[in-house]
Amino acid sequence: MKIGLLLALLLITPLTFAQNLYVKLGEKQGIKTIVEEMLYRVGGDARIAHHFDGVDIMRVHKLISEQVCDLSGGPCDYSGEDMKTAHRNMGIDNADFNALVEHLIAAMEKQDIPVSAQNQLLALLAPMHSDIVED
Amino acid sequence: MRKPLLFGNSTLLVCALFFTPLTFADQGARLLATGGASMLEGSGGGGIVPWATLSSYSGEDQLGVTVSLSEVTVDDFRLSVQGASFSWNNRIELSYAEQTFDLSTIGGELSQDIVGAKVRLAGDLIYGDLPQISIGAQHKKNKDYALPSAVGSQDDSSVDWYVSAAKAWLDGPFHRTWVANLTLRSSKANQLGLLGFGGDKEDSRDWLAEASVATFINRYWAVGIEYRQKPDNLSFAKEQDWKDLFVAYFPSKHVSVVGAYTDLGSIAGLDDQTGWYLSVQAAF
Ligand code: HEM
């Protein structure tokens, strides 16, 4: 009985933890706003805007929002390509990646997302670096 | 046939220099604060420890430049440092520093020039599993050698070699971003070299450990501690390890300010030298 309770607790803890991040990011609406602000800034950044020439930005907005919702423990299932396939042959370098991260941070700051939640999301995204950056 | 070949090569080099898309790191290719500060010997780092990170925010094919002014005021001494550095491609850093050590209580002044070079060998501060690993050298030359020589120093110049590893944890303890750096240095320098190199008590190189740990309270403010082992080569006065507790502020990629409470131990026979450190760096 006790062990069962403990096990249940152990199983639930990471879930509630993740749930927390989703909530801290403002749930679906908050995440949509953050991703929109990020993409808006990316579009105005001459260092990386060219990567998005001819791209269906509404679709990318939907997919990144879905992905962040999923990663942060929200009730979403990411339906897009894996990161390696999605960014293949784009020639994205380290500086491009950092530029996008800067815009994500700026977007989260604008939404007054606490630093702790910002760090949690950044730590979930950083491992994608090796799949996205080609050099 | 040698000459035309050589000529051909250098023309190629000149062409490459002119046409390589070399750009300044104006917006910077790296994240805020990864350029760190300028440490006392001119290299990119914390306050008293050179880090594996390279100064400025330059990335691929970019050139970065920093200039810095630092001042340490402890009970009986004052150290002023003017420094500059160039970094390229997030790969190589070249630095220069001029140190002036004011012996406020004893009277007089010591000074030295330091030319430094650092190369990033592997890894990245933020991405991937490997820490960022760099090796570096600092060539130091005394400008006033009378006093160091009189107290037993064996040489007025020497090279410090070091290897550093640095890693950041984006979501570390308390959901804060943490950075740690460990440096191992081979050196004969007495009090950074201001009191010369090697001594009457010991005239061989020592391996010295230096460490820094910092945490970012938010995007712009960090607090941390540093520790630096020191050699003890001169018999006239014992030399002790250095420590500091610092606060760093990164308002933009162009400016950083570091303030610290420092404990420099015993210097030239005067014990308990504690006081304040302030450093300002501008990066382009
Ligand atoms: C952590 C960083 C990043 C994440 C999480 C991310 C996420 C995504 C996602 C979910 C998609 C849609 C995938 C699909 O089509 O199924 C996508 C597409 C795209 N990403 Fe990223 N991305 C990141 C970094 C970057 C960077 C640094 C750039 C370039 C500067 C970039 C440029 C693009 C472009 C151009 C597309 C559209 C591809 C197309 O529809 O043809 N991404 N990204």
Side-chain angles (χ1 to χ4, degrees), chain B residues 184-185 207-211 227-231 239-242:
Chain B
L184 276 178
R185 180 196 299 257
W207 278 106
L208 306 157
E210 305 175 7
Y227 193 93
R228 175 165 173 171
Q229 263 187 339
K230 306 283 293 311
E239 183 168 343
Q240 293 178 322
D241 296 352
W242 284 8

Side-chain angles (χ1 to χ4, degrees), chain B residues 60 181 228:
Chain B
E60 283 121 355
N181 181 87
R228 175 165 173 171

Side-chain angles (χ1 to χ4, degrees), chain A residues 17 24 45-47 93-95 97-99 101-102 105 108-109 115-120 122-123 126 129 135, chain B residues 27-32 59-60 62 90 124 126-128 170-172 174-177 216-220 253:
Chain A
F17 170 75
K24 282 193 227 162
D45 183 342
R47 292 176 294 178
D93 68 13
N94 203 35
F97 192 92
N98 284 336
V101 169
E102 274 174 14
I105 291 172
M108 290 192 290
E109 292 268 289
V115 175
S116 57
Q118 291 185 26
N119 289 340
Q120 280 172 265
L122 293 175
H129 179 269
D135 54 1
Chain B
Q27 278 179 294
R30 286 154 47 199
L31 297 176
L32 185 64
E60 283 121 355
Q62 286 182 326
N90 194 21
D124 186 88
I126 296 176
Y127 305 116
L170 292 173
D171 186 27
F174 311 106
H175 293 307
R176 285 297 175 275
T177 297
F216 283 84
I217 295 164
N218 58 28
R219 302 278 151 232
Y220 310 103
K253 286 189 184 176

Side-chain angles (χ1 to χ4, degrees), chain B residues 129-141:
Chain B
D129 298 326
L130 219 64
Q132 180 157 332
I133 298 168
S134 300
I135 52 166
Q138 294 171 339
H139 178 269
K140 304 175 172 182
K141 174 105 175 74

Side-chain angles (χ1 to χ4, degrees), chain B residues 164-275:
Chain B
S164 298
K167 193 71 203 158
W169 290 269
L170 292 173
D171 186 27
F174 311 106
H175 293 307
R176 285 297 175 275
T177 297
W178 290 71
V179 182
N181 181 87
L182 185 67
T183 295
L184 276 178
R185 180 196 299 257
S186 162
S187 173
K188 288 173 79 170
N190 310 318
Q191 299 294 6
L192 304 182
L194 288 158
L195 282 175
F197 305 87
D200 52 343
K201 189 159 118 195
E202 201 194 308
D203 189 27
S204 56
R205 284 182 170 274
D206 279 316
W207 278 106
L208 306 157
E210 305 175 7
S212 317
V213 179
T215 177
F216 283 84
I217 295 164
N218 58 28
R219 302 278 151 232
Y220 310 103
W221 289 90
V223 293
I225 50 169
E226 294 195 295
Y227 193 93
R228 175 165 173 171
Q229 263 187 339
K230 306 283 293 311
D232 191 17
N233 300 327
L234 300 171
S235 58
F236 93 104
K238 68 177 187 299
E239 183 168 343
Q240 293 178 322
D241 296 352
W242 284 8
K243 333 174 210 334
D244 74 53
L245 190 73
F246 69 85
V247 177
Y249 177 45
F250 302 91
S252 79
K253 286 189 184 176
H254 297 294
V255 184
S256 69
V257 183
V258 179
Y261 175 73
T262 54
D263 177 354
L264 308 187
S266 183
I267 298 179
L270 298 170
D271 290 344
D272 300 322
Q273 298 297 318
T274 57

Side-chain angles (χ1 to χ4, degrees), chain B residues 40-235:
Chain B
L40 280 179
E41 290 153 314
S43 309
I48 57 175
V49 178
W51 288 20
T53 52
L54 305 196
S55 64
S56 93
Y57 294 95
S58 69
E60 283 121 355
D61 296 324
Q62 286 182 326
L63 182 67
V65 181
T66 70
V67 290
S68 63
L69 283 176
S70 310
E71 190 95 14
V72 192
T73 311
V74 290
D75 299 78
D76 299 296
F77 305 96
R78 201 179 83 211
L79 175 64
S80 309
V81 187
Q82 296 169 35
S85 81
F86 293 88
S87 51
W88 181 69
N89 210 9
N90 194 21
R91 178 63 68 187
I92 295 174
E93 172 193 295
L94 299 175
S95 60
Y96 170 77
E98 184 183 38
Q99 295 180 330
T100 308
F101 194 59
D102 196 342
L103 309 165
S104 321
T105 309
I106 304 171
E109 186 178 283
L110 296 168
S111 63
Q112 68 172 343
D113 286 332
I114 304 172
V115 176
K118 188 196 294 178
V119 178
R120 180 174 65 85
L121 293 183
D124 186 88
L125 178 69
I126 296 176
Y127 305 116
D129 298 326
L130 219 64
Q132 180 157 332
I133 298 168
S134 300
I135 52 166
Q138 294 171 339
H139 178 269
K140 304 175 172 182
K141 174 105 175 74
N142 288 154
K143 294 203 286 192
D144 306 285
Y145 193 58
L147 181 66
S149 167
V151 299
S153 157
Q154 305 294 305
D155 230 318
D156 70 346
S157 81
S158 179
V159 178
D160 283 5
W161 298 97
Y162 63 87
V163 53
S164 298
K167 193 71 203 158
W169 290 269
L170 292 173
D171 186 27
F174 311 106
H175 293 307
R176 285 297 175 275
T177 297
W178 290 71
V179 182
N181 181 87
L182 185 67
T183 295
L184 276 178
R185 180 196 299 257
S186 162
S187 173
K188 288 173 79 170
N190 310 318
Q191 299 294 6
L192 304 182
L194 288 158
L195 282 175
F197 305 87
D200 52 343
K201 189 159 118 195
E202 201 194 308
D203 189 27
S204 56
R205 284 182 170 274
D206 279 316
W207 278 106
L208 306 157
E210 305 175 7
S212 317
V213 179
T215 177
F216 283 84
I217 295 164
N218 58 28
R219 302 278 151 232
Y220 310 103
W221 289 90
V223 293
I225 50 169
E226 294 195 295
Y227 193 93
R228 175 165 173 171
Q229 263 187 339
K230 306 283 293 311
D232 191 17
N233 300 327
L234 300 171
S235 58

